[in-house]
């Protein structure tokens, strides 16, 4: 079992930055692939970024490439999402997720993650 708690959301102007954190409970954090997803009002939950259990593989949605960076500190049981050059369209509730395995090429699918945090709101004003 893994419990996830996100923090770091808030209100920021376009062009600004935020860093989200996701703290995980449990001794097996380093075994989990970790992902960030977001959900805007009226839209489906969408993939943002993910990191393999070792941090050796990272993937990003095209919409955030070059602006967002995912990282993890297995010693602290924490995964981060550094968000730079924020745009109003980045406004959403951001969720942290953990999963033990990815089927080939399926890292972007919410179904690949068995554990979810409660979400943290990010609002980018224009």
């Amino acid at each position: 079992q893994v419990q996830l708690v996100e923090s770091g959301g808030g209100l920021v102007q376009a062009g600004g930055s935020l860093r989200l954190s996701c703290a995980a409970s449990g001794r097996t954090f380093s075994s989990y692939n970790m992902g960030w997803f977001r959900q805007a009002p009226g839209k489906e939950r969408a993939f943002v970024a993910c990191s393999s259990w070792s941090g050796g593989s990272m993937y990003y949605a095209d919409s955030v490439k070059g602006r967002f960076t995912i990282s993890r500190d297995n010693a602290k049981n924490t995964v981060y999402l550094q968000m730079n050059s924020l745009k109003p369209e980045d406004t959403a509730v951001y969720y942290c997720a953990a999963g033990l395995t990815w089927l080939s090429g399926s890292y972007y699918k919410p179904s690949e993650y068995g554990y979810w945090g409660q979400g943290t709101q990010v609002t980018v004003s224009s």
Side-chain angles (χ1 to χ4, degrees):
Q1 286 266 344
V2 177
Q3 292 185 322
L4 305 172
V5 179
E6 303 98 332
S7 61
L11 174 63
V12 64
Q13 289 188 329
S17 298
L18 282 174
R19 188 175 83 154
L20 305 183
S21 298
C22 173
S25 65
R27 295 175 293 177
T28 58
F29 173 77
S30 60
S31 301
Y32 286 85
N33 301 320
M34 299 299 296
W36 285 99
F37 290 76
R38 66 187 181 186
Q39 189 165 18
K43 295 188 177 181
E44 292 187 353
R45 193 165 296 189
F47 170 74
V48 175
C50 63
S51 168
S52 63
W53 62 272
S54 66
S57 297
M58 298 177 190
Y59 302 97
Y60 297 90
D62 287 344
S63 58
V64 307
K65 278 181 183 176
R67 300 188 299 123
F68 290 13
T69 302
I70 188 171
S71 61
R72 65 188 296 162
D73 186 337
N74 286 345
K76 295 183 178 180
N77 282 13
T78 302
V79 62
Y80 305 97
L81 185 68
Q82 178 67 44
M83 306 187 294
N84 298 329
S85 302
L86 282 161
K87 305 175 181 180
E89 51 263 44
D90 294 318
T91 295
V93 177
Y94 282 70
Y95 296 91
C96 173
L100 277 175
T101 59
W102 288 330
L103 295 177
S104 177
S106 297
Y107 54 83
Y108 60 94
K109 295 182 179 179
S111 60
E112 295 298 296
Y113 301 84
Y115 301 97
W116 293 83
Q118 82 290 347
T120 185
Q121 177 70 48
V122 172
T123 303
V124 184
S125 63
S126 57

